[in-house]
Amino acid sequence: MKFKVKNVNCINCVNLIKNSLQDEYGPIDIDLENKILNVNLQEEQLENFKNEIQDLGFEIVERI
């Protein structure tokens, strides 16, 4: 699943997301320039993933 994300402004943001969530959700690819996050989620994981991203201080703007 690909998402447009907000507040991902630097490599530290990318590393925070990856280090915090990759163990639970698998590899996460983030295009910092375009603010696109790509992760292989099951539909039932989506709500938890959105909540955990928000807890880290980021926002999923839309699913693309």
Side-chain angles (χ1 to χ4, degrees), residues 20-64:
S20 299
L21 302 179
Q22 280 191 143
D23 285 347
E24 186 172 349
Y25 297 104
I28 298 172
D29 181 47
I30 301 173
D31 176 351
L32 184 56
E33 185 177 331
N34 296 306
K35 300 187 186 300
I36 304 290
L37 182 148
N38 188 13
V39 62
N40 189 17
L41 292 178
Q42 301 300 320
E43 200 64 42
E44 59 271 8
Q45 294 176 299
L46 183 56
E47 202 57 42
N48 282 342
F49 184 78
K50 285 182 177 181
N51 290 336
E52 290 187 41
I53 282 280
Q54 191 169 5
D55 289 347
L56 293 173
F58 307 102
E59 182 182 346
I60 291 178
V61 179
E62 66 178 314
R63 186 173 172 181
I64 51 178

Side-chain angles (χ1 to χ4, degrees), residues 7-25:
N7 302 333
V8 179
N9 301 314
C10 65
I11 194 67
N12 292 328
C13 297
V14 170
N15 289 334
L16 175 62
I17 292 170
K18 286 184 174 189
N19 292 335
S20 299
L21 302 179
Q22 280 191 143
D23 285 347
E24 186 172 349
Y25 297 104

